[in-house]
């Protein structure tokens, strides 16, 4: 599977998981498990090109990093972060604009092992 196809397929799922998490219908541990699954699948693709192909991909990796970087408590106590995550989910669903100051980069697969 190529990178674009992977991002396209996983973006909708990531946006849905994020929406459910922000509505408190999905636990952080369930979300975290899904995020690790995404990273494992990406690692299995053996893509070594670090070039981001689209704004969608940039937002995808941005959201994944932010969700891995912050705890559930930090996300829910930070209104600005929560809004940025929600804006990113809307963007992945084709319903909004790219979040302000959104910088997402591809993970380097050799460091995921």
């Amino acid at each position: 599977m190529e990178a674009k196809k992977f991002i396209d397929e996983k973006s909708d799922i990531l946006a849905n998981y994020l929406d459910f998490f922000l509505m408190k219908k999905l636990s952080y541990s369930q979300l975290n498990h899904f995020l690790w699954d995404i990273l494992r699948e990406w690692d299995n693709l053996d893509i070594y090109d670090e070039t981001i192909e689209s704004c969608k991909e940039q937002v995808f990796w941005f959201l994944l990093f932010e969700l891995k970087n912050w705890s559930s408590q930090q996300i829910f106590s930070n209104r600005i972060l929560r809004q940025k995550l929600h804006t990113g989910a809307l963007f992945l669903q084709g319903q909004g604009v790219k979040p302000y100051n959104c910088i997402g980069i591809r993970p380097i697969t050799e460091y995921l092992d």
Side-chain angles (χ1 to χ4, degrees), residues 3-107:
K4 181 181 181 338
K5 184 176 178 184
F6 179 87
I7 297 300
D8 287 343
E9 287 180 8
K10 300 300 179 184
S11 288
D12 290 335
I13 301 168
L14 176 59
N16 288 331
Y17 269 67
L18 178 52
D19 283 343
F20 283 124
F21 171 70
L22 293 175
M23 292 185 291
K24 297 186 177 182
K25 294 182 178 181
L26 183 75
S27 72
Y28 184 76
S29 64
Q30 291 170 306
L31 176 65
N32 194 41
H33 180 75
F34 169 70
L35 299 174
W36 277 113
D37 284 346
I38 287 176
L39 289 170
R40 275 194 236 33
E41 288 180 47
W42 177 260
D43 188 41
N44 288 336
L45 295 177
D46 291 325
I47 296 173
Y48 298 101
D49 183 4
E50 296 177 31
T51 306
I52 296 286
E53 295 183 6
S54 66
C55 287
K56 184 177 189 178
E57 183 178 357
Q58 188 175 37
V59 171
F60 177 86
W61 292 120
F62 167 79
L63 290 176
L64 197 136
F65 175 80
E66 291 298 309
L67 291 168
K68 294 294 297 158
N69 192 49
W70 301 102
S71 70
S72 179
Q73 181 181 5
Q74 290 170 314
I75 291 170
F76 284 108
S77 67
N78 186 328
R79 183 186 56 79
I80 293 170
L81 174 59
R82 217 172 39 253
Q83 181 60 45
K84 202 169 195 177
L85 294 172
H86 179 68
T87 300
L90 288 174
F91 180 80
L92 291 182
Q93 295 166 334
Q95 301 176 26
V97 296
K98 181 179 167 188
Y100 180 71
N101 282 341
C102 170
I103 300 171
I105 59 171
R106 286 182 178 178

